[in-house]
């Protein structure tokens, strides 16, 4: 036998005995949220909690939180370059830090820090720039040399004998991971308790329009009248807005991820490397969770091309030689909806009572509570919350872009 | 010992020694670790992850859910199935509870990949797959046949009869004919993923089974990347268990697996056997084990056991109970007794082996990976392919055909070989679970997930099998739900009062079985992770002691230190020598694109911000490329070679991006343009000869070339020859100095470089690297795209409005220039920064803030911009920096602060051109 005395994987907390009702849709709601993913659920939560708005339906065409919320690699950080991004992600991170209590749900938020590796002179410049910006924005950030990188994550190959040696890293100690299903279900349970109707298998097929107002949504489960519509449908937002004659600058790409078998703890933090395209953490049960680069072609099919995985594995073994005989157990893909400047679109649409939230690319999960908070505010007040105001749809005509290509986890 | 004489195909003449959980055992070549353990009477292998319950061996191949082991020798490998580890001498393994352990040392093995293209790929060398491969090969097709086990035959045990002879003889004959027909037949090769358009990945295990005898040169594993016009999925079926209380004990096994252990390995897994089934196939197992000497009792869920099988059972002394179900088991380390309910009431049957069969699940994984549709088949009690997928067919048991005659027909059509007489199949009883304590009925044994857990999930409001999976963790373990997936759907449906056909299954995802990271990485490690590109002068640079830097894939000399010099002193020396005399740079990494065709000028006019079509032959123009957003993408020079031909240069790192960018426009937006683009980066080597003495050096080497300003003005190029070799020289300067860029076919690069150095010797010619190049250009305020810009900087921000044509109707990026934000006076603009103390070199990347006389305030502190480049200047005898600063040009002459290591460094905003602002030096 073996000498493992604690049972790994046994320490995951149980889910509660009750999560949500499965109600029939009502004829009318004050607010109809389209998209029952993390963002839709978080928005409903803060509508109820912060604004007392509970005559709300969350419409989900599949199973609740089954899109990107179920497929992401659960990384949470706020070390973004630009002020606008740093503000919303840091707001989110602060909410993450209190979310377990707020939801009364064990979301397993583990603040184990993130290392963003630098491999070239330009990586170093960009890293220093971001660290200095983070500090001035009040976000925890440090620049570490290779020795300090090795101290924090001993399994990284920091020797000079790899193709792109590790020259240092930025480090955000407050970054972390959480259990994505637990987060989604925590929100969903709270929202259900507040009286919000979570309606699954309910695909929106069109809208009824009166001038510059939308009066109802047509769904696979019948027509539903609405006071306000909030779009939280990620890449399908552009399809929905097409129904309203609004073009949205979104491109949807597969983004693949994968897990290994359960392994004894070897990796205490989160490591990202743009240059060699890898990010990896070791989840609570012991599996290595890794993200790959974005597949370059467009599409809604939730699967990607295999050479992306091969490249990812090469990068992983290059940086972490001990991973050589870890095994790929499962790979899958989500769909990232990417805007021209790799920042989200949140706020007004040409329709007075329709608000949009989309285009989070690879940042959607980590933004979940922050976006929910700010989008709920936007819906409740009819005006964008200051943290999301920079992410208006009209910035693509004014040119006030927030270009985050360089700060995303993977190259878009 | 449980080895039975007269059974099995292991080499009993040779003995292998292995260690498991610290005890030494023996086995034979041909054994798996699992069969060898069973042969030694070892059923207990590990324990469950959550509850620590003892776990044994529950199957004979990849469907096993319980026998997880850690390999320690010959090399540590985490979490393998004992059922798939081929036994070798000296193997050391231990049982696992939950987590595997990674090696702490580097894996010495090699892994590689092979691309294969074929007409037909057949996956699975069971009877259906063998015959399908044979039919395709006989029809003249190119055929690849892969199979995951050590030898062909699939689920055939050897007891069957095909065309009047033993089935394994039939297999051997087919294998031989396949070889004769040139079929590429790979055993120990697992197809683990299928992607669009007939793309299948297969992992071949090439050395592990050979142990110490493996040839040193052979890679351990190989990923075959197979592209096939037709893919035939003949992956067979896996037996489906039935859930009952305490169904996870060692000694509980799938019925067909026990048969496999007997016939393949000669191992009798138990002496006192209970078979619990709802399907005919388990009768064969019962009879075979009885024939090998076991006492067997058979419990059939169904009210009417199959008549023929029941008669055979009676003949063999196997007691058959109809309408009987297992309700529980006893035994800790190994099952001791089976509790059952029969028509006569509850009974307790002593047993050391409990075999279970609830029917069969077609192995649809590979079909499903490629999005082949599955539907529930109520006769099968499982899901099987419905609609065909273009180019992909599923045959045999993978398509739900369970009788041998049918399988043979699936593979070979109407002229199929004839199967020996078998009792006709009777309908499978579809039973997901029996009565009993749901707390002890394990659905996913590996995850300790029970019927109670599913009940809780359903009670919590969950209606989707995906939700139930996530709530219970069923199907998330090492086996990815091979045996538990359909059961979970069935039990969920029962508890919901829904139809399993409406619930479906969770999604099948690659890989079918786990694949080592290193196998997928293949050779793409170390030097081969990304190709290392070097120029033809690389060896010279190495010999000259250059320190290299990675620029894109290139290794470029950064500086050439002399003894005792650090980077700063070397660069100061190189800069001073170049500005005062002459320097030479290996600029060969510069991207170069040959643009040819009658519409070449049109294309360039549409892509560059300035006009290129008006450029005269023999002249050079600097150009900027912008993205759709009007932000600078790359820059470089354009040489007009003739009426229909241009040669353009890009930054070293941007070469591929620019070529892609141009091709994308050409191919997707303007296919009507008659232009061809060719990368000639490697074909041309380029040596800028730079400095006031460059004219003498170049003039001396190229005697035929008039290097005077009148005949050869700035931004012109001339062709010449040297010893008959064509050379192109261009008056381009990235330093502000008089400079000649000498271009030559890369074959002659070392010779020409040597000639230039020789001619320059009396002028003190100094080779310099990228760092000096950067300093010299920075002193002149020339931006490096990608260092001084970040994709948010427009030509106007760089102070280069002059490079944006006002005449052209349109070009990429033009519309964006008219957006209001592009005219915001607070945009960041390109300026210089001089540290006031005259000593501090500002770190590149530093942020810039307004003057803070009382120290840095509490965050958030508004930022004005950042330092993009920063150097020490020999010419200026001080450090200087370039920066992007909000409203920077209007603030020239103002002071700002730069936080550096907790202190503030004061700096003066200035114009970007710090050396020779009049431009007097460029003509010498």
């Amino acid at each position: 036998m073996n000498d493992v005395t604690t049972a790994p994987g046994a320490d995951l907390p149980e889910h509660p005995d009750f999560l949500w009702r499965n109600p029939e849709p009502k004829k009318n709601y004050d607010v109809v949220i389209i998209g029952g993913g993390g963002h839709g659920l978080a928005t409903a939560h803060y509508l109820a909690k912060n604004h007392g708005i509970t005559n709300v339906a969350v419409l989900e065409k599949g199973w609740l939180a089954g899109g990107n919320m179920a497929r992401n690699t659960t990384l949470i950080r706020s070390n973004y370059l630009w002020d606008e991004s740093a503000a919303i992600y840091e707001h989110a991170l602060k909410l993450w830090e209190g979310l377990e209590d707020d939801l009364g749900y064990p979301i397993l938020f583990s603040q184990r820090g993130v290392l963003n590796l630098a491999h070239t002179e330009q990586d170093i410049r960009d890293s220093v720039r971001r660290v200095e910006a983070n500090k001035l924005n009040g976000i925890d950030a440090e620049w570490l040399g290779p020795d300090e990188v090795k101290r924090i994550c001993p399994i990284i190959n920091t020797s000079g004998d790899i193709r792109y040696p590790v020259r240092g890293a930025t480090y955000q100690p407050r970054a972390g991971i959480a259990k994505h299903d637990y987060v989604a279900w925590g929100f969903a349970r709270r929202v259900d308790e507040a009286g919000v109707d979570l309606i699954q298998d309910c695909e929106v097929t069109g809208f009824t329009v009166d001038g510059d107002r939308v009066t109802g949504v047509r769904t696979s489960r019948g027509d539903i009248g609405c006071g306000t519509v909030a779009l939280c449908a990620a890449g399908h937002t552009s399809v929905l807005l097409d129904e309203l004659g609004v073009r949205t600058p979104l491109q949807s790409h597969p983004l693949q991820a994968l897990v290994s078998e359960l392994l004894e703890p070897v990796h205490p933090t989160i490591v990202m490397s743009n240059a060699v395209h890898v990010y990896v953490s070791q989840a609570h049960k012991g599996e290595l969770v890794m993200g790959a680069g974005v597949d370059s072609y467009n599409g809604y099919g939730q699967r990607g091309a295999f050479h992306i995985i091969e490249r990812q594995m090469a990068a992983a073994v290059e940086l972490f030689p001990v991973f050589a005989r870890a095994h790929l157990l499962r790979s899958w893909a989500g769909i990232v909806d990417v805007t021209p400047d790799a920042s989200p679109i949140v706020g007004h649409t040409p329709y007075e009572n329709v608000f949009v939230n989309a285009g989070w690319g690879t940042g959607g999960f980590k933004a979940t509570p922050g976006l929910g908070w700010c989008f709920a505010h936007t819906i409740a007040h009819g005006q964008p919350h200051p943290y999301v105001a920079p992410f208006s749809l009209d910035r693509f005509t004014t040119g006030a872009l927030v270009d985050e290509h360089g700060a995303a986890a993977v190259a878009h | 010992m449980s080895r039975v004489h007269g059974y099995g195909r292991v080499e009993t003449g040779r003995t292998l020694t292995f260690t498991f959980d610290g005890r030494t055992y023996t086995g034979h070549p041909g054994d798996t670790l699992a069969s060898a353990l069973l042969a030694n009477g070892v059923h207990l292998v590990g324990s469950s992850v959550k509850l620590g319950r003892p776990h044994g061996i529950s199957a004979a191949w990849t469907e096993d859910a319980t026998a997880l082991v850690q390999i320690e020798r010959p090399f540590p490998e985490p979490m393998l199935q004992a059922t798939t580890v081929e036994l070798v001498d000296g193997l050391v393994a231990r049982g696992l509870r939950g987590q595997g352990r990674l090696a702490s040392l580097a894996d010495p093995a090699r892994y590689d990949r092979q691309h294969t293209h074929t007409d037909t790929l057949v996956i699975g060398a069971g009877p259906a797959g063998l015959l399908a491969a044979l039919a395709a090969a006989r029809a003249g097709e190119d055929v690849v046949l892969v199979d995951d086990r050590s030898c062909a035959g699939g689920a055939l045990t050897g007891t069957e009869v095909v065309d009047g002879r033993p089935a394994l003889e039939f297999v051997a004959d087919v294998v031989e004919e396949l070889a004769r027909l040139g079929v590429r037949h790979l055993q120990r090769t697992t197809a683990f993923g299928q992607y669009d358009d007939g793309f299948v990945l297969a992992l071949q295990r090439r050395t592990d089974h050979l142990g110490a005898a493996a040839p040193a040169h052979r890679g351990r594993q190989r990923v075959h990347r197979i592209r096939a016009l037709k893919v035939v999925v003949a992956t067979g079926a896996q037996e489906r268990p039935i859930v009952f209380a305490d169904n996870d004990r060692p000694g509980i096994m799938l019925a067909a697996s026990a048969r496999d252990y007997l016939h393949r390995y000669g191992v009798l897994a138990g002496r006192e056997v209970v078979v619990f089934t709802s399907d005919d196939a388990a009768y064969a197992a019962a009879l075979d084990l009885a024939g090998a000497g076991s006492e067997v009792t058979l419990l059939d869920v169904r009210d009417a056991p199959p008549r023929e099988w029941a008669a055979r059972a009676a003949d063999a002394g196997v007691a058959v109970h109809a309408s009987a179900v297992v309700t529980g088991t006893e035994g800790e380390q190994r099952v001791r007794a089976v509790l059952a309910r029969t028509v006569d009431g509850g009974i307790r049957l002593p047993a050391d082996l409990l075999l279970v069969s609830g029917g069969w699940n077609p192995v649809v994984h590979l079909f499903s990976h490629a999005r082949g549709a599955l539907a529930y088949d109520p006769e099968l009690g499982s899901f099987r392919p419905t609609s065909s997928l273009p180019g992909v067919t599923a045959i045999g048991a993978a398509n739900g055909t369970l009788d041998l005659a049918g399988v043979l027909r699936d593979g070979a059509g109407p002229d199929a070989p004839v199967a020996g007489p078998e009792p006709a199949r009777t309908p499978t009883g579809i039973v997901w679970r029996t009565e009993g304590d749901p707390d002890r009925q394990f659905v996913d044994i590996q995850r300790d997930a029970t019927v109670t857990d599913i009940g809780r999930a359903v009670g919590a409001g969950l209606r989707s099998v995906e939700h139930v999976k996530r709530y219970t963790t069923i199907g998330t373990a090492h086996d990815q739900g091979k045996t538990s997936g359909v059961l979970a759907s069935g039990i969920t449906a029962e508890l919901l009062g829904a139809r399993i056909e409406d619930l479906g299954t969770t999604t099948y995802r690659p890989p079918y079985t786990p694949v080592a990271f290193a196998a997928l990485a293949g050779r793409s490690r170390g030097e081969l992770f990304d190709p290392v590109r070097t120029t033809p002068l690389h060896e010279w640079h190495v010999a000259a002691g250059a320190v290299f830097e990675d620029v894109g894939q290139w290794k470029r000399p950064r500086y050439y230190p002399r003894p005792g010099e650090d980077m700063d002193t070397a660069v100061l020396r190189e800069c001073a020598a170049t500005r005062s005399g002459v320097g030479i740079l290996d600029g060969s990494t510069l991207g170069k694109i040959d643009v040819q065709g009658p519409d070449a000028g049109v294309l360039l006019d549409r892509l560059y911000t300035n006009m290129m079509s008006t450029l005269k032959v023999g002249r050079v123009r600097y150009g900027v490329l912008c993205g759709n957003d009007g932000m600078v993408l790359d820059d470089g020079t354009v040489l007009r070679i003739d009426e229909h031909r241009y040669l353009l240069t890009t930054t070293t790192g941007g070469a591929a991006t620019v070529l892609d960018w141009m091709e994308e426009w050409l191919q997707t937006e303007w296919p009507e343009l008659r232009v061809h683009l060719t990368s000639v980066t490697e074909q041309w080597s380029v040596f800028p000869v730079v400095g006031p003495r460059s004219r003498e050096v170049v003039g001396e080497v190229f005697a035929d070339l008039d290097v005077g300003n009148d005949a050869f003005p700035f931004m012109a190029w001339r062709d010449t020859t040297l010893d008959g070799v064509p050379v192109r020289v261009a008056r381009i300067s990235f330093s502000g100095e008089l400079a000649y860029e000498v271009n030559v076919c890369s074959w002659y690069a070392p010779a020409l470089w040597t000639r230039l150095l020789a001619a320059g010797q009396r002028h003190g010619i100094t080779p310099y690297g990228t760092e000096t190049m950067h300093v010299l250009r920075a002193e002149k305020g020339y931006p490096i795209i990608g260092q001084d810009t970040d994709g948010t900087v427009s030509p106007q921000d760089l102070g280069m409005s002059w490079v944006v044509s006002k005449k052209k109707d349109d070009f990429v990026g033009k519309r964006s220039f008219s957006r209001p934000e592009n005219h915001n006076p607070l945009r960041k603009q390109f300026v210089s920064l001089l540290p006031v103390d005259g000593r501090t070199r500002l770190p590149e990347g530093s942020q810039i803030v307004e003057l803070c006389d009382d120290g840095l305030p509490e965050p958030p502190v508004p930022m004005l911009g950042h330092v993009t480049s920063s150097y020490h200047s020999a010419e200026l005898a001080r450090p200087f920096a370039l920066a992007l600063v909000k409203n920077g040009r209007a603030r020239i002459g103002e002071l700002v602060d730069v936080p550096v290591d907790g202190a503030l460094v004061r700096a003066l905003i200035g114009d970007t051109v710090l050396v020779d602002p009049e431009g007097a030096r460029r003509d010498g």
Side-chain angles (χ1 to χ4, degrees), chain B residues 126-267:
Chain B
L130 284 169
L131 289 172
L134 188 62
R138 283 177 176 169
E141 292 179 21
D142 187 76
V143 179
V144 173
L145 171 64
V146 300
D147 185 85
D148 58 354
R149 301 201 75 152
S150 58
C151 58
L156 292 173
T157 61
T159 59
E160 307 83 353
V161 172
V162 176
D163 271 351
R165 61 197 193 285
L168 294 183
E169 282 180 26
F170 153 78
V171 169
D173 291 348
V174 176
V175 167
E176 190 196 282
E177 184 174 352
L178 290 175
R180 232 175 21 243
L181 292 169
V183 169
R184 282 168 283 175
H185 175 183
L186 303 171
Q187 291 294 145
R188 295 190 175 87
T189 303
T190 307
F192 63 83
Q194 182 173 192
Y195 290 78
D196 290 337
D197 302 320
F199 185 47
V200 174
L201 284 306
L203 180 77
Q204 184 182 18
R205 299 175 298 280
R206 304 175 71 216
T207 60
D208 282 2
H209 64 286
L210 300 173
H217 63 272
R218 187 177 296 176
R220 180 177 178 239
Q221 296 178 346
R222 171 174 291 170
V223 172
H224 292 267
R225 310 173 100 253
I226 306 167
R227 290 244 175 228
L229 291 174
K230 287 184 285 185
V231 176
V232 179
V233 178
T235 43
Q238 290 165 342
E239 207 163 21
R240 181 174 61 243
I242 298 171
V243 175
F244 48 83
D246 295 323
N247 56 334
D248 63 335
R249 299 192 194 281
I252 301 178
M253 184 182 291
L254 291 169
S257 298
R259 217 177 160 218
D260 203 31
Y261 281 117
L262 180 63
H263 294 296
R264 196 180 287 261
Y265 306 105
V267 171

Side-chain angles (χ1 to χ4, degrees), chain B residues 48 52 118 125 152 195 212 262 268 294 375 426 513 559 607 651 664 681 846 867 915 920:
Chain B
S48 76
T118 189
Y195 290 78
L262 180 63
L268 193 59
S294 300
T426 67
T513 50
Y559 57 99
L607 292 176
T651 58
E664 183 176 343
T681 301
S846 297
V867 173
V915 167

Side-chain angles (χ1 to χ4, degrees), chain A residues 1-10 14-20 22 63-65 70-71 81-83 119-122 125 128-130 132-133 135-138 163-165 167 181 185 200 256 258 260-266 276 285-286 288 290 302-307 309-311 313-318 321-333 395-401 403, chain B residues 21 46-47 49-50 75-80 94-103 107 109 111 113 192 195-196 201 220 225 369-371 447 456 459-464 466-467 469-471 476-478 480 507 509-511 514-518 520-521 524-527 529-532 549-550 552-553 555 558 786-787 790-792 819-821 828 844-845 847 849 856 859-861 863 866 868 899:
Chain A
M1 288 301 298
N2 58 75
D3 55 3
V4 180
T5 49
T6 55
E14 298 264 335
H15 293 288
D17 286 334
F18 188 76
L19 287 170
W20 54 71
N22 288 282
W63 41 286
L64 215 55
R71 295 159 200 281
L81 173 64
W82 301 109
D83 298 350
H119 301 271
T120 66
E121 289 299 314
Q122 190 56 40
R125 291 182 194 105
V128 170
R129 178 185 179 193
R130 189 158 48 75
E132 293 299 319
K135 286 180 184 166
L136 291 169
N137 273 322
R163 177 68 179 87
Y164 295 110
R167 308 277 304 276
D181 294 330
W185 296 0
Q200 302 181 73
Q256 299 185 74
L258 56 94
S260 74
E261 73 271 70
L262 309 188
L263 298 164
E264 292 177 20
V266 289
V276 301
K285 288 188 297 189
L288 298 170
M290 310 177 89
Q302 285 165 324
R303 62 214 175 99
F306 191 70
H307 66 271
I309 300 285
E310 289 177 309
R311 190 67 189 158
M313 293 292 90
V317 179
E318 178 82 347
V322 301
F323 288 179
R325 291 200 184 185
H327 299 96
L328 169 64
L329 203 63
R330 185 177 181 87
S331 65
W332 66 92
R395 76 179 184 277
F396 300 103
T397 45
T398 65
L401 305 178
D403 197 301
Chain B
D21 279 343
S47 58
V49 61
K50 204 156 126 188
F75 189 85
E77 181 149 3
M79 204 176 283
L80 295 176
R94 61 182 170 86
L96 281 185
R97 177 178 181 187
Q99 293 178 333
R101 183 182 291 166
L102 292 171
D107 182 358
Y111 301 82
R113 71 176 63 127
F192 63 83
Y195 290 78
D196 290 337
L201 284 306
R220 180 177 178 239
R225 310 173 100 253
H369 288 169
R371 284 299 185 269
R447 295 286 326 149
R456 286 186 65 234
L462 303 182
R463 300 290 176 267
S464 154
E466 293 285 358
H467 278 151
K469 167 184 169 175
R470 287 163 167 75
Y471 189 99
T476 63
H478 187 267
Q480 291 285 296
T507 312
R509 298 279 189 183
V515 182
F517 284 12
L520 298 176
S524 303
R525 296 166 66 176
E527 290 266 290
F529 172 71
D530 205 24
V532 177
E549 78 168 314
D550 286 314
Q553 294 170 320
K555 294 281 182 197
R558 194 171 181 196
Q787 175 173 342
D790 60 2
T792 70
R819 295 185 295 195
E821 190 58 28
K828 289 173 188 164
E844 291 170 345
Q847 295 288 340
V849 299
L856 201 59
V861 184
M863 287 165 258
H866 76 285
T868 59

Side-chain angles (χ1 to χ4, degrees), chain A residues 51-90:
Chain A
H51 306 284
I53 299 172
T54 57
N55 184 22
V56 175
V58 178
L59 310 185
E60 168 54 49
K61 77 169 180 175
W63 41 286
L64 215 55
N68 291 334
M69 192 65 181
R71 295 159 200 281
N72 69 83
T73 46
T74 80
L75 171 55
I76 295 160
R77 63 188 176 93
S78 67
N79 57 350
Y80 278 71
L81 173 64
W82 301 109
D83 298 350
E84 298 87 344
S85 313
I88 179 74
Y89 286 109
E90 177 63 16

